[in-house]
PDB file of all heavy atoms in Angstrom:
ATOM      1  N   HIS F  95      -4.012  32.633  -2.280  1.00  0.00           N
ATOM      2  CA  HIS F  95      -2.665  32.633  -2.827  1.00  0.00           C
ATOM      3  C   HIS F  95      -1.667  31.968  -1.893  1.00  0.00           C
ATOM      4  O   HIS F  95      -0.600  31.531  -2.333  1.00  0.00           O
ATOM      5  CB  HIS F  95      -2.209  34.078  -3.116  1.00  0.00           C
ATOM      6  CG  HIS F  95      -2.951  34.750  -4.203  1.00  0.00           C
ATOM      7  ND1 HIS F  95      -2.754  34.477  -5.528  1.00  0.00           N
ATOM      8  CD2 HIS F  95      -3.948  35.660  -4.170  1.00  0.00           C
ATOM      9  CE1 HIS F  95      -3.555  35.192  -6.273  1.00  0.00           C
ATOM     10  NE2 HIS F  95      -4.315  35.941  -5.463  1.00  0.00           N
ATOM     11  N   ILE F  96      -1.992  31.906  -0.638  1.00  0.00           N
ATOM     12  CA  ILE F  96      -1.095  31.321   0.354  1.00  0.00           C
ATOM     13  C   ILE F  96      -1.241  29.806   0.412  1.00  0.00           C
ATOM     14  O   ILE F  96      -0.249  29.075   0.577  1.00  0.00           O
ATOM     15  CB  ILE F  96      -1.339  31.940   1.743  1.00  0.00           C
ATOM     16  CG1 ILE F  96      -1.088  33.467   1.697  1.00  0.00           C
ATOM     17  CG2 ILE F  96      -0.490  31.288   2.811  1.00  0.00           C
ATOM     18  CD1 ILE F  96      -1.582  34.203   2.922  1.00  0.00           C
ATOM     19  N   LEU F  97      -2.440  29.328   0.237  1.00  0.00           N
ATOM     20  CA  LEU F  97      -2.704  27.879   0.370  1.00  0.00           C
ATOM     21  C   LEU F  97      -2.135  26.990  -0.719  1.00  0.00           C
ATOM     22  O   LEU F  97      -1.640  25.899  -0.408  1.00  0.00           O
ATOM     23  CB  LEU F  97      -4.216  27.632   0.482  1.00  0.00           C
ATOM     24  CG  LEU F  97      -4.826  27.903   1.843  1.00  0.00           C
ATOM     25  CD1 LEU F  97      -6.326  27.595   1.811  1.00  0.00           C
ATOM     26  CD2 LEU F  97      -4.142  27.093   2.934  1.00  0.00           C
ATOM     27  N   PRO F  98      -2.153  27.359  -2.001  1.00  0.00           N
ATOM     28  CA  PRO F  98      -1.627  26.431  -3.016  1.00  0.00           C
ATOM     29  C   PRO F  98      -0.203  25.914  -2.758  1.00  0.00           C
ATOM     30  O   PRO F  98       0.004  24.682  -2.852  1.00  0.00           O
ATOM     31  CB  PRO F  98      -1.735  27.219  -4.315  1.00  0.00           C
ATOM     32  CG  PRO F  98      -2.894  28.122  -4.093  1.00  0.00           C
ATOM     33  CD  PRO F  98      -2.779  28.529  -2.623  1.00  0.00           C
ATOM     34  N   PRO F  99       0.757  26.755  -2.390  1.00  0.00           N
ATOM     35  CA  PRO F  99       2.079  26.174  -2.108  1.00  0.00           C
ATOM     36  C   PRO F  99       2.065  25.221  -0.906  1.00  0.00           C
ATOM     37  O   PRO F  99       2.805  24.237  -0.868  1.00  0.00           O
ATOM     38  CB  PRO F  99       2.993  27.382  -1.832  1.00  0.00           C
ATOM     39  CG  PRO F  99       2.206  28.588  -2.106  1.00  0.00           C
ATOM     40  CD  PRO F  99       0.797  28.221  -2.338  1.00  0.00           C
ATOM     41  N   LEU F 100       1.180  25.494   0.046  1.00  0.00           N
ATOM     42  CA  LEU F 100       1.078  24.607   1.213  1.00  0.00           C
ATOM     43  C   LEU F 100       0.408  23.295   0.851  1.00  0.00           C
ATOM     44  O   LEU F 100       0.747  22.234   1.412  1.00  0.00           O
ATOM     45  CB  LEU F 100       0.330  25.312   2.343  1.00  0.00           C
ATOM     46  CG  LEU F 100       1.019  26.575   2.873  1.00  0.00           C
ATOM     47  CD1 LEU F 100       0.151  27.235   3.946  1.00  0.00           C
ATOM     48  CD2 LEU F 100       2.408  26.275   3.399  1.00  0.00           C
ATOM     49  N   ILE F 101      -0.494  23.325  -0.113  1.00  0.00           N
ATOM     50  CA  ILE F 101      -1.098  22.076  -0.607  1.00  0.00           C
ATOM     51  C   ILE F 101      -0.076  21.230  -1.343  1.00  0.00           C
ATOM     52  O   ILE F 101       0.017  20.018  -1.144  1.00  0.00           O
ATOM     53  CB  ILE F 101      -2.332  22.382  -1.490  1.00  0.00           C
ATOM     54  CG1 ILE F 101      -3.449  22.990  -0.625  1.00  0.00           C
ATOM     55  CG2 ILE F 101      -2.801  21.142  -2.232  1.00  0.00           C
ATOM     56  CD1 ILE F 101      -4.592  23.588  -1.415  1.00  0.00           C
ATOM     57  N   PHE F 102       0.757  21.899  -2.165  1.00  0.00           N
ATOM     58  CA  PHE F 102       1.842  21.188  -2.840  1.00  0.00           C
ATOM     59  C   PHE F 102       2.824  20.603  -1.814  1.00  0.00           C
ATOM     60  O   PHE F 102       3.332  19.503  -1.987  1.00  0.00           O
ATOM     61  CB  PHE F 102       2.604  22.093  -3.815  1.00  0.00           C
ATOM     62  CG  PHE F 102       1.870  22.376  -5.066  1.00  0.00           C
ATOM     63  CD1 PHE F 102       1.706  23.698  -5.506  1.00  0.00           C
ATOM     64  CD2 PHE F 102       1.307  21.361  -5.843  1.00  0.00           C
ATOM     65  CE1 PHE F 102       1.003  23.963  -6.679  1.00  0.00           C
ATOM     66  CE2 PHE F 102       0.635  21.631  -6.989  1.00  0.00           C
ATOM     67  CZ  PHE F 102       0.455  22.938  -7.415  1.00  0.00           C
ATOM     68  N   GLU F 103       3.091  21.349  -0.761  1.00  0.00           N
ATOM     69  CA  GLU F 103       3.973  20.862   0.294  1.00  0.00           C
ATOM     70  C   GLU F 103       3.369  19.620   0.966  1.00  0.00           C
ATOM     71  O   GLU F 103       4.102  18.664   1.264  1.00  0.00           O
ATOM     72  CB  GLU F 103       4.251  21.944   1.339  1.00  0.00           C
ATOM     73  CG  GLU F 103       5.139  21.511   2.469  1.00  0.00           C
ATOM     74  CD  GLU F 103       6.538  21.107   2.041  1.00  0.00           C
ATOM     75  OE1 GLU F 103       7.016  21.510   0.979  1.00  0.00           O
ATOM     76  OE2 GLU F 103       7.175  20.352   2.800  1.00  0.00           O
ATOM     77  N   THR F 104       2.077  19.616   1.166  1.00  0.00           N
ATOM     78  CA  THR F 104       1.409  18.440   1.758  1.00  0.00           C
ATOM     79  C   THR F 104       1.570  17.233   0.862  1.00  0.00           C
ATOM     80  O   THR F 104       1.877  16.134   1.328  1.00  0.00           O
ATOM     81  CB  THR F 104      -0.093  18.743   2.010  1.00  0.00           C
ATOM     82  OG1 THR F 104      -0.186  19.899   2.865  1.00  0.00           O
ATOM     83  CG2 THR F 104      -0.802  17.562   2.643  1.00  0.00           C
ATOM     84  N   LEU F 105       1.354  17.413  -0.447  1.00  0.00           N
ATOM     85  CA  LEU F 105       1.543  16.321  -1.397  1.00  0.00           C
ATOM     86  C   LEU F 105       2.981  15.834  -1.371  1.00  0.00           C
ATOM     87  O   LEU F 105       3.239  14.620  -1.383  1.00  0.00           O
ATOM     88  CB  LEU F 105       1.143  16.792  -2.807  1.00  0.00           C
ATOM     89  CG  LEU F 105       1.190  15.775  -3.915  1.00  0.00           C
ATOM     90  CD1 LEU F 105       0.192  14.656  -3.682  1.00  0.00           C
ATOM     91  CD2 LEU F 105       0.891  16.460  -5.249  1.00  0.00           C
ATOM     92  N   LEU F 106       3.915  16.750  -1.288  1.00  0.00           N
ATOM     93  CA  LEU F 106       5.327  16.405  -1.222  1.00  0.00           C
ATOM     94  C   LEU F 106       5.629  15.619   0.053  1.00  0.00           C
ATOM     95  O   LEU F 106       6.363  14.622   0.005  1.00  0.00           O
ATOM     96  CB  LEU F 106       6.182  17.690  -1.251  1.00  0.00           C
ATOM     97  CG  LEU F 106       7.691  17.507  -1.183  1.00  0.00           C
ATOM     98  CD1 LEU F 106       8.212  16.903  -2.489  1.00  0.00           C
ATOM     99  CD2 LEU F 106       8.371  18.838  -0.905  1.00  0.00           C
ATOM    100  N   LEU F 107       5.052  16.017   1.163  1.00  0.00           N
ATOM    101  CA  LEU F 107       5.305  15.315   2.437  1.00  0.00           C
ATOM    102  C   LEU F 107       4.717  13.896   2.415  1.00  0.00           C
ATOM    103  O   LEU F 107       5.332  12.982   2.947  1.00  0.00           O
ATOM    104  CB  LEU F 107       4.714  16.106   3.609  1.00  0.00           C
ATOM    105  CG  LEU F 107       5.486  17.378   3.987  1.00  0.00           C
ATOM    106  CD1 LEU F 107       4.730  18.168   5.038  1.00  0.00           C
ATOM    107  CD2 LEU F 107       6.886  17.038   4.465  1.00  0.00           C
ATOM    108  N   VAL F 108       3.557  13.722   1.779  1.00  0.00           N
ATOM    109  CA  VAL F 108       2.989  12.368   1.652  1.00  0.00           C
ATOM    110  C   VAL F 108       3.927  11.511   0.830  1.00  0.00           C
ATOM    111  O   VAL F 108       4.224  10.361   1.191  1.00  0.00           O
ATOM    112  CB  VAL F 108       1.575  12.418   1.024  1.00  0.00           C
ATOM    113  CG1 VAL F 108       1.083  11.010   0.699  1.00  0.00           C
ATOM    114  CG2 VAL F 108       0.591  13.114   1.968  1.00  0.00           C
ATOM    115  N   SER F 109       4.446  12.065  -0.268  1.00  0.00           N
ATOM    116  CA  SER F 109       5.416  11.341  -1.093  1.00  0.00           C
ATOM    117  C   SER F 109       6.654  10.984  -0.273  1.00  0.00           C
ATOM    118  O   SER F 109       7.134   9.843  -0.299  1.00  0.00           O
ATOM    119  CB  SER F 109       5.810  12.189  -2.306  1.00  0.00           C
ATOM    120  OG  SER F 109       6.897  11.620  -2.988  1.00  0.00           O
ATOM    121  N   TYR F 110       7.172  11.954   0.446  1.00  0.00           N
ATOM    122  CA  TYR F 110       8.417  11.744   1.211  1.00  0.00           C
ATOM    123  C   TYR F 110       8.224  10.684   2.291  1.00  0.00           C
ATOM    124  O   TYR F 110       9.033   9.742   2.395  1.00  0.00           O
ATOM    125  CB  TYR F 110       8.868  13.069   1.854  1.00  0.00           C
ATOM    126  CG  TYR F 110      10.071  12.891   2.742  1.00  0.00           C
ATOM    127  CD1 TYR F 110      11.328  12.696   2.178  1.00  0.00           C
ATOM    128  CD2 TYR F 110       9.955  12.885   4.125  1.00  0.00           C
ATOM    129  CE1 TYR F 110      12.440  12.503   2.982  1.00  0.00           C
ATOM    130  CE2 TYR F 110      11.054  12.701   4.934  1.00  0.00           C
ATOM    131  CZ  TYR F 110      12.309  12.514   4.349  1.00  0.00           C
ATOM    132  OH  TYR F 110      13.399  12.326   5.152  1.00  0.00           O
TER     133      TYR F 110
END
Side-chain angles (χ1 to χ4, degrees):
H95 293 284
I96 299 168
L97 282 180
L100 298 177
I101 292 169
F102 286 129
E103 179 62 22
T104 303
L105 184 63
L106 180 71
L107 288 173
V108 171
S109 170
Y110 176 74

